[in-house]
Amino acid sequence: MSIQHHLSDDTLLRHAAGRLGAGLALVTAAHLHGCAHCRGRLAAFEAVGGALLEMEAPAAMAPSAFSNVLARLEERPAPPPVLRAPRRAALNLPPEMTLPPVLAGCDIGRWLWLGRGVRYSRVRLPWAPDANVMLLRVAASRAVVSHAHAAQELTQILHGGYSDSTGQYGPGDIAEHDETVLHQPRADEEGCICLAALEGGLRLDGWMGRVQHRLGL
Amino acid sequence: MRAGVIQTGGARVQADVSKHEAKFSMGLRGPTLRRGALLTPVDAPAPLDAAAQARLLGLVATARDRPAFAMLFKHFAPRLKAFHMRAGLAETAAEELAQETMLLLWRKAGSFDPARAGAATWVFTITRNLRTDQARRHRGGLPEPPPEEDLSPSAETLSLEAERAARMRGALATLSEAHRQVIELSFFSEAPHAGIATALNLPLGTVKSRIRLALSRLRDALGAEP
Ligand SMILES: [Zn+2]
């Protein structure tokens, strides 16, 4: 199925600039993995970075700068860090579903109850322990209590789908919400599994509020 | 007036930084707002054009050519340092990051693909990733595993990559100062929306809509993309 909902210009620009928080960047990368269209747009925004670098007025380097670097050219690069194996709970995902490769280094906790028909699993990024990332699983045809959003939320659909006032979302689609959105998503017949990151210190109502509470935000 | 002298295996390359300073150093410097570059004539002769950069990178990749590396260093290192200082890094940290970036340029030159990105864009992504890794380590994060695969953009955008940075400079030049400002601040400000709102003394909603508008103007100026 082709992707209907893409990343916004603003989010892609901030990703290109390296200015997205680690959680939002992870979900953005999950979408980019499956979306050549957004990868093309990202390349254009990275070219903005290249242009800004070229337009920069040169700042004098230290007199020893070049000889320092020259002396290090033959240095053997530091060996890649030994990463511990990620901790994974048994998630009982649908057999045809695979997790996006960007989750490879992440710890994933077991499903926890969040509300009727809604469960979440905490995703921990060893490189950014304070990032708020989770898998969400909404049961078939279940409507989620109307809720407001954190300052920014990104939700990448991994399996199944849902509909709300902003449209119909399926696998590969990404939903972007901010605190101005109030909506009531309803999961499709096969339910919905998605990867979500939230950022921003707004107190939330409804089930996202319970996520905040559980995560100790 | 400073002139950096670089020594490379007997060959002496004079990095005449002072000349560029005279040309570019007008206006304020600060961690977020820049005026100097906004006034910089975009058609000022670039010391090393995109084609030369790509050719030199190719020499570094295939022949481990040190004079080529010296020329790339002379061009990119002072710009990388200035770039990071504008983004709020102290001079020593910016200097260090510029040197680390140049070292990675030497090591990774083989992965530069001129069909995929302009040289300056490629250097930008290297230094951006270095800075992100550093910032995470400062906050107690472990290293992020490197991406498993190297995914390319869609075929229809591919042919445009190489020349894009040069055209992008032209397109940026056509924007109004207000629009160029929010795009630049998106790169140079730690917390883009809030940071821009503070720097420009604007409400958050105005910042967001201005960024949207600026990007759509940029897209118009580029033709159909990004
Ligand atoms: Zn997309």
Side-chain angles (χ1 to χ4, degrees):
Chain A
M1 192 161 59
S2 68
I3 297 169
Q4 302 295 322
H5 298 274
H6 294 282
L7 288 156
S8 69
D9 278 348
D10 182 45
T11 297
L12 268 177
L13 179 73
R14 287 163 62 206
H15 191 61
R19 296 293 179 184
L20 276 184
L24 297 176
L26 182 94
V27 179
T28 298
H31 180 79
L32 287 167
H33 173 77
C35 186
H37 171 70
C38 285
R39 288 201 296 278
R41 294 166 63 219
L42 178 72
F45 288 129
E46 286 175 336
V48 175
L52 291 177
L53 177 62
E54 280 291 279
M55 289 157 71
E56 196 59 68
M61 294 290 284
S64 62
F66 185 69
S67 54
N68 284 350
V69 174
L70 214 51
R72 295 177 61 196
L73 291 188
E74 299 310 323
E75 226 175 61
R76 203 177 272 276
V82 182
L83 304 166
R84 65 166 173 77
R87 287 185 274 267
R88 292 291 172 84
L91 293 172
N92 295 316
L93 298 172
E96 70 277 20
M97 179 191 153
T98 50
L99 290 173
V102 293
L103 289 176
C106 301
D107 298 332
I108 303 181
R110 63 194 171 88
W111 291 116
L112 297 167
W113 185 87
L114 193 60
R116 282 201 305 170
V118 185
R119 287 178 290 168
Y120 79 100
S121 150
R122 180 75 195 260
V123 175
R124 278 193 174 275
L125 287 51
W127 57 93
D130 52 351
N132 296 306
V133 182
M134 73 210 73
L135 291 167
L136 283 165
R137 185 172 201 165
V138 183
S141 306
R142 178 69 70 179
V144 173
V145 186
S146 182
H147 63 284
H149 290 269
Q152 194 180 4
E153 267 177 56
L154 286 179
T155 307
Q156 170 78 3
I157 316 304
L158 305 178
H159 178 80
Y162 72 86
S163 316
D164 68 7
S165 56
T166 64
Q168 218 274 320
Y169 294 80
D173 283 336
I174 192 155
E176 289 198 27
H177 294 298
D178 62 21
E179 68 278 8
T180 61
V181 180
L182 191 78
H183 73 156
Q184 187 162 20
R186 173 176 286 277
D188 292 353
E189 282 166 16
E190 44 184 341
C192 183
I193 299 175
C194 46
L195 175 69
L198 50 151
E199 217 171 67
L202 190 77
R203 267 302 135 198
L204 299 171
D205 298 325
W207 63 281
M208 286 310 271
R210 287 198 288 276
V211 171
Q212 267 198 333
H213 182 72
R214 289 289 179 87
L215 302 182
L217 303 179
Chain B
M1 286 291 167
R2 283 155 298 184
V5 177
I6 29 192
Q7 194 84 38
T8 160
R12 241 164 159 254
V13 183
Q14 192 78 17
D16 188 0
V17 175
S18 56
K19 194 174 70 194
H20 303 303
E21 279 176 353
K23 195 182 297 164
F24 287 97
S25 67
M26 38 186 165
L28 302 170
R29 295 223 133 220
T32 52
L33 253 184
R34 80 160 161 187
R35 300 208 169 269
L38 295 176
L39 301 172
T40 302
V42 175
D43 57 357
L48 204 57
D49 67 26
Q53 292 168 10
R55 190 172 43 78
L56 292 168
L57 265 175
L59 282 171
V60 170
T62 56
R64 306 270 78 187
D65 187 301
R66 292 189 178 212
F69 179 69
M71 291 177 76
L72 289 166
F73 188 96
K74 180 183 160 187
H75 179 81
F76 281 120
R79 286 174 173 76
L80 287 163
K81 181 174 176 179
F83 188 90
H84 289 300
M85 284 172 73
R86 186 184 307 293
L89 286 189
E91 182 174 358
T92 46
E95 166 91 28
E96 197 181 311
L97 205 42
Q99 291 189 24
E100 288 294 326
T101 305
M102 293 312 295
L103 187 60
L104 272 187
L105 176 148
W106 172 264
R107 286 180 185 160
K108 293 181 162 213
S111 71
F112 170 67
D113 177 357
R116 292 266 304 265
T121 299
W122 182 74
V123 173
F124 161 74
T125 58
I126 289 180
T127 210
R128 172 199 67 190
N129 295 348
L130 263 179
R131 187 198 54 201
T132 304
D133 286 348
Q134 266 186 9
R136 287 175 183 171
R137 275 202 302 279
H138 280 303
R139 288 197 295 268
L142 301 170
E144 181 175 6
E148 296 287 325
E149 64 211 307
D150 190 22
L151 292 168
S152 54
S154 63
E156 74 258 31
T157 58
L158 207 56
S159 60
L160 304 165
E161 303 298 331
E163 62 192 56
R164 192 178 252 153
R167 290 197 301 125
M168 192 63 81
R169 289 166 71 194
L172 283 168
T174 68
L175 297 183
S176 70
E177 171 156 344
H179 283 160
R180 207 168 355 161
Q181 231 172 24
V182 290
I183 289 180
E184 291 190 348
L185 285 173
S186 298
F187 279 83
F188 294 117
S189 158
E190 187 69 47
H193 291 154
I196 295 169
T198 308
L200 301 180
N201 195 22
L202 289 171
L204 206 56
T206 310
V207 168
K208 289 182 183 180
S209 57
R210 189 175 290 182
I211 291 173
R212 267 197 292 277
L213 204 56
L215 291 173
S216 102
R217 290 280 150 75
L218 189 63
R219 183 181 290 112
D220 292 344
L222 284 167
E225 34 137 15

